[in-house]
Amino acid sequence: MIILKADYKKYNVSELENIRVDEEEFYGTFYNAILLQTCNRVEIIFDADKLEDIKGIENIKLEKFDILVGDEAIEHLFRVACGLESMIVGEDQILGQLKNAYLKAKEKGKISKKLEKIILKAIHTGQRARVETKINEGGVSIGSAAVELAEKVFGLEGKNVLLIGAGEMANLVIKALKEKNIKAIIVANRTYEKAERLAKELGGIAVKFDKLEEALRYADIVISATGAPHPILTKERLKNAGKTFIIDIANPRDTTDDIKELPGVFLFTIDDLRLVAEENLKKRKKEIPKVEKIIYEELENLKELLDKMKLEVAVKELGQYIENIRKREVEKALKILKNKNKPAEEVLDDFSKALCKKIIYDMIKIFENVESREFFECLAKEFKKHGNNN
């Protein structure tokens, strides 16, 4: 297997965007291949031993990629599936992205049996890592840490959540909220269209910014993530909000400290969340050796599976070789029988001898080119043993 790899470790997001490959063109050009593209990586996976064996490889800018081959490529794929190669260690999203890439290649009919086995084993390994370890537990982005903090301190089930802002940080919050059983989500933003788009992801509602105070009275939990240059949540604005849990993840801050003076208002800032995220990341990193142990086990299992596949292919090819000889010798024997030059018993005897001689002759020719005579001797002994048993 060969993997062409370009990721966040080497390129920023805009640089990766320039490396991205057109999916339709890719599957129109390559066979036995899978294209895995996310905002943080572009990886092209081939079932091949050498680059020069890949038809159409000249269409790819190889200088942009790191090239992984054989066992190194397979191990890397397993690490990707487990989230060990992600910007956020142990994140779950990459596993779904790998599944989707596999299904796309399968749908296009561009995946070999061997490559399919490897990809499915990688997905299985990623699933094991998340079930048997804590590699994906605890939010490590500020957005996910905000949701985690709200859930631990205040509870999310049956609550009304107000998200203020619609930028990158707000998107991280939305991703984390998708998995939670909240009652309602309200999104407020100065650009109403952006608020509508985000709200739609969670089946929530969008409100215009001039309706913010009304939304604050309705909300149990407020997560503020705007890019405003000055605070938007003040003591005056929140005086009628009632019991409210506020998490401010904006930089600069969206809140003023004096809102803590209001009865029933609880405020957490981005500094509190950084501590949560850093602690969670430390916990995840402690799980890495456990995940690597799972990867090692599954790589060994895969090796056995691939060896078995190789044997099956070899046996199939050997069977086809013998069948071709059998057909030729049968044709010769049938011609002799039609001419009635010899008794049937003699023709059959000649046929069986010719078949055996041809196979033995070809085997000798083959093994003359094999360096290890021990293997040939071992094979002969095994044939003898099976012959005696039969």
Side-chain angles (χ1 to χ4, degrees), residues 109-124:
K110 296 299 182 76
I111 186 167
S112 65
K113 187 176 179 182
K114 178 185 173 184
L115 190 52
E116 183 170 29
K117 294 282 185 189
I118 293 171
I119 295 292
L120 289 176
K121 180 60 81 171
I123 292 169
H124 169 70

Side-chain angles (χ1 to χ4, degrees), residues 10 13 26 58-59 80 102 109 130 133 141 143 163 167 204 206-207 215 224 269 272 299 320 331:
K10 192 172 180 179
V13 173
F26 176 82
E58 65 278 0
N59 296 317
V80 167
Y102 156 71
R130 288 165 176 83
T133 76
S141 71
L163 175 61
V207 296
S224 193
T269 68
D272 301 310
L299 284 172
Q320 188 59 54
E331 286 176 9

Side-chain angles (χ1 to χ4, degrees), residues 54 65 88 104 118 148 163 193 251 253 314 323 360:
I54 302 171
F65 294 89
I88 297 175
K104 174 64 75 173
I118 293 171
E148 183 181 336
L163 175 61
E193 290 73 20
N251 187 19
R253 281 176 54 181
E323 175 64 10
I360 292 169

Side-chain angles (χ1 to χ4, degrees), residues 195-213:
E196 271 192 315
R197 189 174 66 249
L198 269 187
K200 190 176 179 181
E201 284 193 44
L202 282 174
I205 59 171
V207 296
K208 294 182 178 178
F209 222 67
D210 58 8
K211 300 288 185 182
L212 184 58
E213 287 178 29

Side-chain angles (χ1 to χ4, degrees), residues 53-292:
D53 293 339
I54 302 171
K55 186 180 178 182
I57 196 67
E58 65 278 0
N59 296 317
I60 293 177
K61 297 175 182 176
L62 293 177
E63 69 278 3
K64 298 287 186 181
F65 294 89
D66 293 326
I67 301 171
L68 309 178
V69 181
D71 291 345
E72 184 186 13
I74 296 173
E75 183 177 351
H76 168 75
L77 182 63
F78 278 40
R79 290 179 65 85
V80 167
C82 291
L84 297 190
E85 296 296 319
S86 297
M87 186 180 289
I88 297 175
V89 176
E91 56 99 359
D92 291 328
Q93 196 175 6
I94 187 62
L95 191 57
Q97 290 164 335
L98 181 59
K99 286 179 187 176
N100 290 337
Y102 156 71
L103 290 172
K104 174 64 75 173
K106 191 172 177 66
E107 176 193 316
K108 297 283 186 182
K110 296 299 182 76
I111 186 167
S112 65
K113 187 176 179 182
K114 178 185 173 184
L115 190 52
E116 183 170 29
K117 294 282 185 189
I118 293 171
I119 295 292
L120 289 176
K121 180 60 81 171
I123 292 169
H124 169 70
T125 305
Q127 290 168 336
R128 267 194 72 189
R130 288 165 176 83
V131 170
E132 297 177 27
T133 76
K134 297 177 181 178
I135 193 67
N136 63 334
E137 290 188 11
V140 293
S141 71
I142 295 298
S144 58
V147 173
E148 183 181 336
L149 184 64
E151 187 169 36
K152 281 183 178 177
V153 178
F154 202 64
L156 285 171
E157 189 167 352
K159 298 294 195 303
N160 299 317
V161 179
L162 168 63
L163 175 61
I164 307 173
E168 185 179 343
M169 199 71 81
N171 273 279
L172 291 172
V173 172
I174 287 289
K175 285 178 183 177
L177 283 173
K178 278 182 179 179
E179 303 169 6
K180 307 302 178 182
N181 186 26
I182 56 177
K183 183 179 179 181
I185 178 74
I186 310 157
V187 182
N189 190 60
R190 291 194 186 279
T191 306
Y192 182 70
E193 290 73 20
K194 287 184 179 180
E196 271 192 315
R197 189 174 66 249
L198 269 187
K200 190 176 179 181
E201 284 193 44
L202 282 174
I205 59 171
V207 296
K208 294 182 178 178
F209 222 67
D210 58 8
K211 300 288 185 182
L212 184 58
E213 287 178 29
E214 186 180 328
L216 285 167
R217 287 196 296 274
Y218 181 73
D220 301 304
I221 299 167
V222 178
I223 301 176
S224 193
T226 77
H230 51 75
I232 59 167
L233 296 179
T234 61
K235 186 177 179 180
E236 177 64 25
R237 186 165 246 174
L238 284 160
K239 65 183 180 182
N240 298 317
K243 188 177 180 181
T244 311
F245 184 87
I246 300 173
I247 303 176
D248 181 0
I249 57 176
N251 187 19
R253 281 176 54 181
D254 281 339
T255 56
T256 55
D257 281 330
D258 60 359
I259 65 175
K260 293 178 182 177
E261 298 170 8
L262 293 169
V265 174
F266 304 87
L267 173 64
F268 292 85
T269 68
I270 197 167
D271 293 325
D272 301 310
L273 296 174
R274 282 199 182 101
L275 292 174
V276 173
E278 286 169 11
E279 188 58 36
N280 285 339
L281 185 57
K282 286 178 187 175
K283 289 177 184 176
R284 287 193 183 195
K285 285 182 175 178
K286 285 180 182 176
E287 296 294 298
I288 289 176
K290 295 178 187 176
V291 175
E292 288 177 333

